[in-house]
Amino acid sequence: MRPRSLDEVVGQSHLLAPGRTLREAISADRPHSAIFWGPPGTGKTTLARLIAAASNSRFLSLSAVLAGVKDIRVAVDEARQVRLAEQRGTILFIDEVHRFNKAQQDAFLPHVEDGTLVFIGATTENPSFALNNALLSRARVYLLKPLQLVDLEQLADRALSDSERGLAPAPTLDPPKGAVMAPQPDRQTDSTVRSRDHRASDSGTSDQGRILIDAEARRLLAEAADGDARRLLNLLELAADLAVPVAPERQPESGPQSGSGADSGPDLGSAPTQGSRLESAPALGASRRIGVETLRQVIEGSVRRFDKGGDAFYDQISALHKSVRGSAPDAALYWLARMIDGGCDPLYLARRLVRMASEDIGNADPRALAIAMDAWDAQQRLGSPEGELALAQAVVYLASAAKSNAVYLAWNSALDEVRKEGSLEVPVHLRNAPTRLMKELGYGHAYRYAHDEPDAYAAGESYFPDGMAPRRYYQPVERGLEIRIKEKLERLAALDRAAAAKHE
């Protein structure tokens, strides 16, 4: 079912609509080096083949999983021979190009530069990370998007109606005996979506062996495909093998006694009207139907698009973290469900929740860290799926809690200063003195024990290295418990100022 022309391609209108750069380049026979980046089943290989066909170029294909530098050299030699013998160019298509190492990527760069070949690569990984800059500078990157539900439903219809490459029955030369012409049902109102007919010239097609699909099953199929055309066709083929035969449905006989009401049978003598299709009552009994239950069996256990360690993985964990930070519990639950459904390790998610509790909530609600740790412990003790409920509970609490990144900012500031200032000595009065020698050296001398001071606070005492002015890394926010913390720190700062003024 791979598209044989641009008109057969569904989706990717941002690239292939009239006036778009890629469409215009193909139409004008000006192929250029490109990188098609997108999820599986979105048409990367198809577009490369269509570009080659439209430009009358020789199409060479390599897989980066299996090919090496030697294979690239062979392809380059073949491209030179084609140019000399046939006076036409060559398009070298490399699937999974991100799997090439730097040396392999560099191997064909000179030949792209001198026009020996046009390079087209396909990748599911972010080219910014997976490909070297020299290659990126010589190729234009095109982002392919997952197919929408309407695109996938259109593909399912096409596969069910195509008798040459799809699942529709082969056309017959003569209509079956007793066949009648009936209007084609409206797909939007009919509860069963039927495959489109293919009419031979001056004849009809047999409905025998035709596969029907319920509208709801069709939608479930598109949803299960998750933007992947290849997955949709694979699932449809499996569902077709399990399709249930449809019971015979014979048309009521027509005759002189038949009236013109809604229940009267068709006029066997009437000529077929434009847009009508051949319906055979006996043939209906031989049709097969894909219902909702059948499709549920096929898609059971399938997972959504998810690539551990790839862009989809990091994009989704980023969305989860930002939803928690943005106090959006429902969105956070959605992304948690997406990652769990995609096969992400729940313990990884538990660790990330602990990070969120400290980074984005901190002392505005210290209970958040405890709840995140409890959820991690519950997941370790119970496993899946029971432990996932504890993760969901933690996600909702973290997203709903008061937010503060004051500790996160303070920690980063302290780290930055430590790295700049180097290894400053610990002041003598703060050093521990467990031995007589250390005491004789003055370790711990003049240290003020805070519990012996008024309000258990040694006002004016310095705890920074000698010569280093006091710093204020931690700036509590006016949210949650940090409101109280801020009030206390301001009160202690006032005591420090008063103690300093007394000693002046």
Side-chain angles (χ1 to χ4, degrees):
M1 293 300 300
R2 189 185 297 279
R4 294 170 293 191
S5 68
L6 287 177
D7 292 333
E8 287 188 0
V9 176
V10 297
Q12 315 307 336
S13 58
H14 64 293
L15 299 178
L16 300 176
R20 297 292 182 176
T21 302
L22 183 59
R23 179 69 179 243
E24 294 303 311
I26 297 173
S27 301
D29 190 13
R30 293 196 305 269
H32 55 270
S33 293
I35 296 168
F36 294 139
W37 169 32
T42 52
K44 299 185 291 295
T45 303
T46 292
L47 281 179
R49 291 182 178 275
L50 292 177
I51 290 172
S55 65
N56 194 33
S57 298
R58 179 73 177 275
F59 184 79
L60 297 179
S61 178
L62 294 176
S63 172
V65 178
L66 303 174
V69 173
K70 180 180 178 181
D71 301 288
I72 296 173
R73 288 172 181 163
V74 171
V76 170
D77 290 340
E78 189 172 342
R80 288 198 182 104
Q81 293 172 10
V82 168
R83 167 163 288 191
L84 291 174
E86 304 177 23
Q87 300 299 309
R88 61 175 179 153
T90 297
I91 290 178
L92 176 61
F93 173 68
I94 299 181
D95 198 15
E96 303 287 337
V97 67
H98 59 273
R99 296 185 182 273
F100 269 167
N101 58 37
K102 186 178 186 300
Q104 291 169 320
Q105 292 180 34
D106 289 342
F108 52 80
L109 288 181
H111 312 294
V112 173
E113 191 75 27
D114 65 17
T116 301
L117 52 82
V118 172
F119 158 75
I120 296 180
T123 178
T124 57
E125 301 293 328
N126 190 328
S128 300
F129 305 128
L131 304 179
N132 62 42
N133 291 331
L135 181 57
L136 289 175
S137 68
R138 290 166 172 81
R140 178 162 181 170
V141 177
Y142 292 100
L143 175 62
L144 277 71
K145 300 177 181 179
L147 300 187
Q148 301 297 313
L149 288 179
V150 64
D151 300 325
L152 294 166
E153 290 179 349
Q154 182 180 345
L155 283 177
D157 286 346
R158 185 180 296 173
L160 290 173
S161 64
D162 194 316
S163 61
E164 178 187 352
R165 299 174 295 160
L167 297 170
T172 58
L173 296 177
D174 299 307
K177 185 178 180 181
V180 297
M181 301 300 294
Q184 183 170 350
D186 184 358
R187 191 180 69 179
Q188 301 300 323
T189 58
D190 190 16
S191 62
T192 299
V193 179
R194 306 187 177 190
S195 61
R196 301 170 190 164
D197 60 316
H198 285 256
R199 300 180 184 83
S201 57
D202 300 317
S203 68
T205 61
S206 171
D207 291 325
Q208 201 161 11
R210 185 184 55 179
I211 297 175
L212 317 176
I213 183 168
D214 289 354
E216 185 178 352
R218 180 169 168 268
R219 175 49 64 99
L220 284 175
L221 174 66
E223 291 173 352
D226 197 28
D228 186 333
R230 186 181 297 108
R231 176 186 282 189
L232 176 117
L233 294 174
N234 286 337
L235 292 174
L236 182 60
E237 192 166 27
L238 291 172
D241 292 338
L242 300 176
V244 178
V246 177
E249 297 178 7
R250 294 185 175 277
Q251 298 283 355
E253 295 182 3
S254 61
Q257 71 276 16
S258 300
S260 59
D263 295 331
S264 60
D267 182 5
L268 292 177
S270 62
T273 59
Q274 185 178 7
S276 64
R277 75 171 187 178
L278 193 63
E279 286 280 3
S280 169
L284 279 173
S287 299
R288 292 178 297 149
R289 172 178 165 272
I290 301 173
V292 172
E293 291 306 315
T294 299
L295 193 62
R296 289 191 191 281
Q297 294 180 43
V298 172
I299 66 177
E300 184 179 9
S302 63
V303 295
R304 259 39 66 197
R305 185 174 63 254
F306 189 83
D307 179 19
K308 184 176 181 181
D311 277 355
F313 175 86
Y314 290 110
D315 287 346
Q316 289 180 27
I317 192 61
S318 175
L320 172 59
H321 195 149
K322 290 182 171 89
S323 298
V324 168
R325 180 184 297 149
S327 299
D330 297 309
L333 275 177
Y334 170 81
W335 291 114
L336 175 69
R338 277 286 300 274
M339 299 197 76
I340 291 291
D341 179 70
C344 180
D345 182 3
L347 292 177
Y348 167 82
L349 295 171
R351 293 192 295 272
R352 287 301 297 253
L353 293 182
V354 172
R355 166 75 184 210
M356 296 174 203
S358 289
E359 178 180 340
D360 296 296
I361 298 168
N363 289 332
D365 188 345
R367 294 169 296 183
L369 181 58
I371 288 174
M373 293 296 296
D374 287 343
W376 188 352
D377 185 54
Q379 179 64 49
Q380 285 184 311
R381 290 173 179 269
L382 299 179
S384 297
E386 289 84 357
E388 292 159 11
L389 183 59
L391 296 182
Q393 178 184 351
V395 161
V396 170
Y397 188 90
L398 266 58
S400 305
K403 301 298 188 296
S404 171
N405 68 342
V407 171
Y408 174 70
L409 295 177
W411 172 242
N412 287 337
S413 296
L415 277 178
D416 184 61
E417 186 135 30
V418 164
R419 289 162 182 162
K420 289 179 180 178
E421 297 293 336
S423 301
L424 300 180
E425 295 291 331
V426 176
V428 173
H429 72 283
L430 295 181
R431 297 184 187 183
N432 190 27
T435 68
R436 179 185 300 176
L437 174 62
M438 291 179 174
K439 291 178 180 177
E440 292 174 353
L441 292 174
Y443 284 20
H445 178 69
Y447 168 65
R448 297 166 61 189
Y449 188 56
H451 293 287
D452 293 339
E453 300 283 339
D455 295 323
Y457 182 69
E461 181 68 288
S462 174
Y463 298 93
F464 282 91
D466 292 334
M468 183 177 177
R471 304 287 197 269
R472 284 292 302 271
Y473 301 125
Y474 179 47
Q475 304 285 345
V477 300
E478 297 283 351
R479 290 186 293 277
L481 183 62
E482 283 199 327
I483 296 175
R484 301 284 301 277
I485 295 174
K486 184 176 183 179
E487 292 173 352
K488 178 178 180 179
L489 292 180
E490 288 176 349
R491 186 171 67 254
L492 296 179
L495 293 175
D496 287 336
R497 290 191 295 271
K502 186 183 297 184
H503 287 87
E504 288 180 356

